[in-house]
Structure formats: C-alpha cells, structure tokens
C-alpha cells in the first residue's frame, strides 16, 4: 500500500481534546493511504491511548509511547523521520481538521507538486470547539515565490500549525525542527523550508487552532525573558540568510517580535 500523506501528532496528556481531533479527521474519510502517527510522552495510565483506540477502525493509525521524548519538536521530528508518505502534516492533539481539508490537500499536491509546502487560512476555536474567529494569511491564493514569502514571514509567523502540507523531502533537507525552540520552532521551520522551494496557498480555511489555557503558548508566557529569546533566535538566524532584507521589513520584524512578547507578558500579569 502506498502512503501519500503522513500526519504527525505529538501527544502529552491529550485525553481531553484528542477525541475531537481524531473525530475531525475521521469525518474526512482519509482511507488507508493517509497514516496518522501519534507519539505519546506522558504516562497517563493509558487515558490518551484509550481515546485513540476508539478510532482504530477508521484511521490508519500508528501509536508509540515515548516517555523518554518530551519535547513536541522532538516527537514531530521522529514522526517525519519514520513517516512513509511523500507529504507530511502536523496536527496537534487539540487542533482540528475542518470539512474539505483532505480534498484541499490533495488539490495542492496535484497542482503544486514541486513546492516546499502549501498552507491555507485557518480558524480559531475555543476550548469547547466553537469557532470564534478567522486566522487570515497575508498572501493571495496560488504560488508564492520563496523570497516574497520569507520577507512576510520574517515580520510575523502567520501560519496556524495544523495548516501546512510539507514535502517530506524538503523537511529533511531543511533539517527539521530545531528542538531547542519550544515556541518558535514552527516559524523557524517555515523559513528554513523556503530555502528549498516556493510556497503555495490554498484558498479555503480547512483547519482550526484551539485556544485554551493549557496550550504551550499559554504556559510559556509565564517565563520572563523566554519568549524574547525564542523570537530573537529566529530573527538572528534568518535575517542574515535572506539578506539583503529591506530596512523597513527588519524594523517591522523586530517591532512585531517585541509586540508579541509584550502581549504574552501582559497576559501573564507583567503589565510594564
């Protein structure tokens, strides 16, 4: 059997939302040609595994308990290394596919087989799964040249993590995720991927990013200085790689990083 798409899900205490996540992909009837690789790093007495087992008859699913491998970035890199598909996608334990996502991905593979990755707009959902807003992209649909995409992404990571469909060969050539970047690893990855090809933009919002208090974003805001370090690491790496970067783009990139960090600090009570 030929696998055309591998979906990687890092799991850590995911029993609360994992059922909704897997139900959203099962609703797309992905068939055996789409594999779902789940890597669990928390011994929760089998709670998350029991949720996943409910979908064993509907999804081509591979489950691994990896209690030695806590970072989500490390689990994702392992999943891509072991993936059998030519294309890979990330789906965190609390995010969702929306109606038409698989068809959108298949159209992108057909229409843009040579790009490094494709993305689409997304939606925000709350802890109960209710849609609460749109996550827009600063790109028109179609093929976007790598440099144009990179200059926009340097200013702000505007891509929801369940959205990208990535050519596995490009992921491996880019070196995958930097496992030291617990917050900005996806931003760093997209910029690295653009060194290996253009980006394509799918027209419809067909994924959802869940907002809730237990997310990594919400947890990481409490460590003063940590968010600044995460943003600076990406800018220090990629501003030189895409040189010459127009001065106004660099100014906006640094202002955006400062604003992101200030908002995270304010939400954690650091109002200064």
């Amino acid at each position: 059997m030929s696998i055309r798409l591998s979906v990687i899900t890092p799991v850590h205490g995911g029993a609360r939302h994992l059922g909704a996540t897997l139900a959203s992909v099962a609703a797309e009837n992905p068939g055996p040609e789409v594999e779902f690789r789940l890597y669990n790093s928390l011994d929760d007495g089998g709670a998350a595994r029991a949720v996943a087992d409910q979908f064993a008859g509907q999804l081509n699913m591979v489950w691994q308990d990896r209690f030695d491998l806590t970072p989500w970035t490390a689990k994702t890199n392992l999943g891509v290394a072991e993936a059998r598909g030519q294309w890979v996608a990330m789906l965190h334990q609390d995010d969702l596919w929306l109606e038409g996502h698989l068809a959108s991905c298949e159209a992108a593979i057909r229409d843009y087989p040579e790009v490094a990755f494709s993305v689409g707009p997304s939606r925000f959902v709350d802890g109960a799964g209710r849609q609460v807003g749109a996550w827009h992209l600063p790109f028109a649909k179609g093929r976007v040249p790598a440099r144009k995409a990179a200059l926009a992404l340097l200013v702000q990571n505007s891509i929801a993590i369940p959205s990208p469909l990535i050519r596995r060969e490009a992921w491996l050539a880019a070196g995958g995720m930097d496992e030291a970047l617990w917050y900005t690893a996806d931003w760093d990855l997209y910029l690295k991927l653009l060194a290996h090809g253009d980006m394509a933009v799918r027209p419809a919002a067909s994924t959802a990013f869940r907002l809730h208090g237990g997310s990594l974003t919400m947890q990481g805001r409490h460590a003063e200085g940590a968010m600044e370090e995460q943003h600076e690491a990406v800018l220090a790496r990629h501003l030189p790689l895409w040189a010459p970067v127009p001065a106004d783009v660099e100014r906006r990139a640094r202002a955006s990083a400062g604003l992101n960090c200030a908002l995270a600090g304010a939400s954690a009570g650091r109002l200064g």
Side-chain angles (χ1 to χ4, degrees), residues 20-38:
T21 298
L22 295 178
S24 76
V25 299
E28 292 292 283
N29 298 310
E33 296 83 14
V34 181
E35 66 170 1
F36 295 86
R37 309 190 68 90
L38 294 87

Side-chain angles (χ1 to χ4, degrees), residues 6-12 14 17-19 21-22 24-25 35-41 48 52 59 61-66 69 71-80 88-97 161-162:
S6 297
V7 182
I8 315 301
T9 300
V11 178
H12 190 85
H17 295 300
L18 185 58
T21 298
L22 295 178
S24 76
V25 299
E35 66 170 1
F36 295 86
R37 309 190 68 90
L38 294 87
Y39 296 84
N40 174 49
S41 55
L59 302 175
M61 199 161 40
V62 178
W63 178 281
Q64 285 190 38
D65 284 320
R66 289 299 304 265
L69 208 62
W72 71 273
T73 49
K75 288 177 285 189
T76 304
N77 280 336
L78 175 62
V80 174
V88 296
M90 296 175 284
L91 182 64
H92 283 191
Q93 64 189 23
D94 45 7
D95 295 334
L96 303 168
W97 282 6
I161 209 162

